[in-house]
């Protein structure tokens, strides 16, 4: 328990605690040849190939383990666009899940899960659009706008959120049917504001010069 579930099963690629796995190379010799494709040569702790007891007992019965990679149960590759921080994920999520988690924060659920639909459009429109990709803004998430207490507070990267939204709108059926609109002409609006600001700054600088020249005279 101290080490955490860091042992990865060679067959199902799930994370396990030390007690739930055995060294796969020691059992590999005794397994039937037609089950060899369940061993993916995936090494984790101490650079050893481990296998979980669930997969091993199925292999011993000459059955392909239910969650094995050989049973096409591979996790899909996570695209780089979706490498987001927890609050950034919340901003884009079309559903707010409510569930009861037993004490101790274990990864299991008690009772029903309720999915509440969320309107993402308002969030997307409120996110400040900046030209700088490295810009971050502080976001506080509240259950009610009126309440003083916030439930979730984090710095988010607007550029990463917009990139992830573009990706989801291209690939996810749920997002395609959500009717979210991404305003693309924000960049021209910002360019216009920037131009006006620089013109104003130039005028101020020129005025300062005129005042200086007058002072010198
Ligand atoms: Zn396994």
């Amino acid at each position: 328990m101290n080490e955490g579930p860091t042992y990865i099963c060679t067959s199902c690629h799930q994370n396990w605690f030390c007690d739930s796995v055995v060294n796969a190379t020691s059992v590999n010799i005794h397994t039937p040849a037609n089950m060899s494709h369940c061993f993916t040569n995936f090494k984790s702790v101490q650079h050893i190939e481990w296998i979980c007891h669930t997969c091993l007992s199925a292999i011993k019965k000459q059955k392909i383990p239910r969650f094995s990679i050989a049973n096409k149960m591979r996790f899909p590759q996570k695209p780089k666009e979706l490498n987001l921080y927890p609050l950034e994920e919340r901003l884009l999520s079309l559903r707010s899940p409510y569930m009861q988690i037993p004490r101790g924060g274990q990864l299991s659920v008690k009772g029903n899960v309720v999915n509440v639909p969320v309107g993402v459009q308002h969030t997307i429109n409120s996110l400040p659009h900046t030209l700088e990709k490295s810009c971050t803004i502080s976001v506080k998430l509240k259950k009610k706008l009126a309440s003083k207490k916030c439930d979730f507070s984090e710095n988010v990267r607007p550029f990463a959120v917009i990139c992830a939204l573009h990706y989801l709108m291209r690939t996810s059926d749920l997002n395609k049917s959500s009717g979210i609109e991404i305003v693309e002409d924000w960049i021209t609006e910002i360019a216009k504001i920037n131009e006006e600001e620089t013109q104003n700054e130039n005028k101020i600088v020129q005025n300062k010069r005129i005042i200086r020249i007058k002072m010198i005279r």
Side-chain angles (χ1 to χ4, degrees):
M1 291 293 273
N2 239 351
E3 289 173 37
T6 48
Y7 292 77
I8 298 165
C9 171
T10 183
S11 164
C12 63
H13 286 199
Q14 294 186 95
N15 287 44
W16 296 94
F17 287 104
C18 178
D19 282 358
S20 313
V21 291
V22 285
N23 191 330
T25 38
S26 62
V27 292
N28 206 349
I29 313 151
H30 314 295
T31 48
N34 59 344
M35 287 288 138
S36 59
H37 63 297
C38 294
F39 294 83
T40 58
N41 203 23
F42 194 96
K43 293 178 176 119
S44 52
V45 179
Q46 293 167 14
H47 207 65
I48 291 171
E49 190 181 5
W50 302 96
I51 187 162
C52 70
H53 291 304
T54 319
C55 288
L56 187 62
S57 66
I59 288 168
K60 277 181 181 167
K61 289 176 199 159
Q62 300 225 19
K63 280 182 183 171
I64 295 175
R66 196 181 292 174
F67 296 118
S68 173
I69 300 294
N71 205 16
K72 296 191 170 60
M73 290 296 277
R74 186 184 288 275
F75 287 112
Q77 280 279 327
K78 190 177 180 182
K80 65 177 188 327
E81 286 90 343
L82 297 186
N83 279 334
L84 300 172
Y85 291 107
L87 186 51
E88 291 173 343
E89 281 178 8
R90 284 289 97 229
L91 293 181
L92 288 174
S93 174
L94 293 174
R95 301 280 184 273
S96 259
Y98 288 89
M99 57 195 92
Q100 266 187 301
I101 296 167
R103 269 189 166 194
Q106 291 293 319
L107 295 176
S108 64
V109 181
K110 233 169 89 179
N112 296 335
V113 176
V114 181
N115 277 299
V116 179
V118 185
V120 174
Q121 189 69 57
H122 181 69
T123 316
I124 299 305
N125 291 349
S126 337
L127 267 186
H129 297 310
T130 56
L131 289 173
E132 211 188 323
K133 291 176 186 173
S134 58
C135 156
T136 60
I137 55 162
S138 172
V139 173
K140 287 180 178 176
L141 211 65
K142 294 176 178 180
K143 278 182 188 155
K144 278 182 194 168
L145 268 182
S147 59
K148 282 182 183 172
K149 194 189 120 202
C150 69
D151 297 282
F152 206 164
S153 167
E154 212 172 64
N155 286 347
V156 303
R157 301 158 298 164
F159 186 75
V161 176
I162 294 291
C163 282
L165 181 68
H166 273 281
Y167 175 82
L168 290 171
M169 293 300 281
R170 274 201 318 274
T171 53
S172 156
D173 287 337
L174 188 65
N175 274 70
K176 279 180 200 167
S177 61
S178 66
I180 297 171
E181 278 178 40
I182 310 174
V183 183
E184 293 289 359
D185 56 350
W186 63 271
I187 200 153
T188 48
E189 272 176 40
I190 284 188
K192 221 190 263 178
I193 295 165
N194 274 359
E195 211 174 287
E196 280 170 15
E197 274 178 8
T198 45
Q199 273 177 1
N200 284 342
E201 274 173 23
N202 285 344
K203 271 182 196 170
I204 293 164
V205 172
Q206 274 176 357
N207 285 345
K208 274 184 185 169
R209 271 185 200 152
I210 291 164
I211 292 164
R212 264 190 199 166
I213 290 164
K214 277 181 183 172
M215 295 235 323
I216 292 164
R217 277 177 187 171

